[in-house]
Amino acid sequence: GPNLEFFPPLCSPFYPRRLHLCEFGSSHTFCKALRAYSACTYRNSKVCRGNLVYHSAVLGISDLMSQRNCSKDGPTSSTNPEVTHDPCNYSGHTGASEHPGGEKTTPTYLFCGLFGDPHLRTFKDHFQTCKVEGAWPLIDNNYLSVQVTNVPVVPGSSATATNKITIIFKSYQDCTDQKVYQAVTDDLPAAFVDGTTGGGDGNTKSLQIVDKVSGKYIEMHARHIGTMVYIRQLGRYLTLAIRMPQELAMAYEESQDLQLCVNGCPSSERIDDSGHLPLPVRGQLLPQVGTAHPRSVYTLESATTKCNEKMLVKDIYFYSCVFDLLTTGDANFTAAAHSALQDVEALHPRKERWHIFPSSRGGAVGKGSQFFVSLGLVCLILVVFL
């Protein structure tokens, strides 16, 4: 049955939600409200016929309609309560689209990550290992731009890693002005370039930087666009992970189609696309006579053992760890692969897709499976030559 508290005496100070009925300056507006209230009481007349509060409300409505000369027929105010949405909270305004049945849809989120030598996981869950030396856009849409700069890990080789990340949160309504963030090796600030740590007014910022581990790990929470960004420094290089709503991630112009998170690395920059070990990588992995390079520290067995210390599941992150150790000899890449997987578990919206395995099939893993062919050839060459 109905909630009887809905029918209090009109204008009672104990029911402030209905005081506005007694404060309308316009008789027309007041009459619309009274007719809506009258229709509501009429619909519940059978259920509430023995309730004194209900009958008091009916008489009060009738008296007020007489005093204001309100006709019984005419337009009425909406009886649905007005829901105010926070324009600076993405989940509070964009995810509220309704189906005909009245059910609200939940926004679809996408994940992208970059780590190691470098390994890219796109919004489509495609996994690629790329060269991409220099500055490259990961994301470039109407709300956010993310650019990374990759430098050679070892002089003369095609192995690169990220040493600079630039992020631009574009101005959005009254929620935030444009904010620019920049991190480079050994300088991972907990503030934007203008010295602020957030964007927006009030105590609840629509955009905020959270310093998790000073100089090593920061998070960016962008409420207004429902986006989370994690940046870490592990050893000499940076890693990045991001979760963003699909409808915003895909809001870009045709001229902005070069986005690694959206379309992956260009085929000429991939070292796992053909299923064969590229010559530049093959050359850098062979031991060099007369040199004592750190790359020669790890064998296939020792690299596998090292990676297994942090990652027990032999998924694509485990094999990326092995690949990076064999390629660079830098043990920090073990932590990078492990942290990248932790970021997936924290940000990726679909748990069943956290791990990608060599035996998997389908679009999301097809790209990654070619990476394992390359890794297998790398290991075979090392076994033969070592």
Side-chain angles (χ1 to χ4, degrees):
N3 184 355
L4 298 181
E5 291 184 357
F6 185 79
F7 306 108
L10 290 177
C11 306
S12 166
F14 298 104
Y15 296 91
R17 291 182 62 184
R18 267 156 287 279
L19 280 175
H20 67 281
L21 291 176
C22 309
E23 297 170 355
F24 281 115
S26 167
S27 292
H28 175 71
T29 304
F30 189 73
C31 289
K32 286 176 60 178
L34 286 173
R35 280 191 289 266
Y37 201 0
S38 177
C40 180
T41 57
Y42 178 78
R43 288 193 298 270
N44 292 278
S45 59
K46 291 184 179 180
V47 179
C48 301
R49 59 189 177 189
N51 185 273
L52 295 179
V53 175
Y54 167 78
H55 287 287
S56 175
V58 171
L59 292 175
I61 292 169
S62 178
D63 289 345
L64 287 171
M65 290 186 72
S66 298
Q67 294 172 17
R68 292 294 185 105
N69 294 322
C70 299
S71 62
K72 292 185 178 180
D73 299 322
T76 62
S77 298
S78 172
T79 57
N80 295 322
E82 293 184 5
V83 179
T84 58
H85 298 301
D86 180 359
C88 298
N89 185 351
Y90 175 82
S91 62
H93 62 85
T94 309
S97 56
E98 295 188 1
H99 292 298
E103 296 182 358
K104 294 183 179 180
T105 60
T106 302
T108 299
Y109 289 91
L110 303 177
F111 173 87
C112 180
L114 187 76
F115 70 98
D117 191 12
H119 306 292
L120 171 71
R121 182 167 181 160
T122 72
F123 282 144
K124 299 175 184 177
D125 285 326
H126 291 171
F127 194 93
Q128 301 169 352
T129 301
C130 309
K131 293 176 286 186
V132 289
E133 182 178 347
W136 289 82
L138 284 185
I139 296 173
D140 184 19
N141 54 51
N142 297 338
Y143 305 90
L144 179 70
S145 292
V146 180
Q147 179 176 280
V148 297
T149 301
N150 303 313
V151 295
V153 176
V154 179
S157 77
S158 62
T160 64
T162 304
N163 76 338
K164 182 179 179 180
I165 296 175
T166 303
I167 300 177
I168 301 175
F169 291 93
K170 301 178 182 181
S171 60
Y172 183 79
Q173 298 182 9
D174 294 327
C175 302
T176 182
D177 296 328
Q178 177 172 290
K179 291 289 181 179
V180 180
Y181 178 85
Q182 190 170 92
V184 297
T185 296
D186 295 331
D187 185 13
L188 187 62
F192 294 103
V193 295
D194 63 3
T196 62
T197 59
D201 298 325
N203 295 327
T204 306
K205 299 289 186 180
S206 58
L207 174 61
Q208 190 170 15
I209 296 178
V210 180
D211 194 10
K212 304 297 285 189
V213 179
S214 181
K216 297 297 181 183
Y217 171 29
I218 64 103
E219 294 180 1
M220 297 181 180
H221 302 177
R223 292 173 56 250
H224 64 294
I225 55 174
T227 298
M228 299 276 285
V229 182
Y230 291 3
I231 301 177
R232 303 174 187 264
Q233 177 172 331
L234 297 154
R236 298 285 302 161
Y237 304 105
L238 306 174
T239 69
L240 180 139
I242 183 168
R243 181 181 68 191
M244 190 172 193
Q246 180 176 348
E247 66 172 340
L248 304 189
M250 297 300 152
Y252 59 88
E253 307 298 328
E254 290 185 9
S255 60
Q256 299 170 294
D257 62 338
L258 181 57
Q259 302 181 57
L260 303 192
C261 281
V262 176
N263 298 312
C265 299
S267 57
S268 60
E269 296 292 329
R270 300 177 194 173
I271 68 172
D272 63 336
D273 188 59
S274 64
H276 300 288
L277 185 64
L279 290 175
V281 179
R282 181 186 304 162
Q284 77 180 49
L285 286 172
L286 294 179
Q288 299 179 11
V289 178
T291 61
H293 199 279
R295 287 175 294 168
S296 63
V297 170
Y298 287 98
T299 64
L300 173 60
E301 183 179 357
S302 62
T304 301
T305 300
K306 182 68 175 176
C307 294
N308 204 43
E309 291 176 1
K310 288 183 174 290
M311 290 171 287
L312 300 179
V313 179
K314 288 181 171 55
D315 62 358
I316 202 165
Y317 291 90
F318 173 85
Y319 288 106
S320 296
C321 172
V322 175
F323 181 90
D324 289 350
L325 287 183
L326 294 175
T327 305
T328 68
D330 186 347
N332 289 302
F333 283 101
T334 304
H338 180 246
S339 296
L341 180 57
Q342 288 182 315
D343 292 342
V344 168
E345 294 173 352
L347 296 178
H348 197 293
R350 298 180 62 179
K351 185 175 182 178
E352 69 275 12
R353 288 195 169 188
W354 286 357
H355 298 282
I356 298 176
F357 296 96
S359 60
S360 300
R361 293 291 181 265
V365 184
K367 300 287 186 182
S369 61
Q370 295 171 352
F371 164 77
F372 295 107
V373 174
S374 300
L375 179 59
L377 290 172
V378 172
C379 298
L380 177 61
I381 290 172
L382 285 170
V383 169
V384 170
F385 283 89
L386 288 179

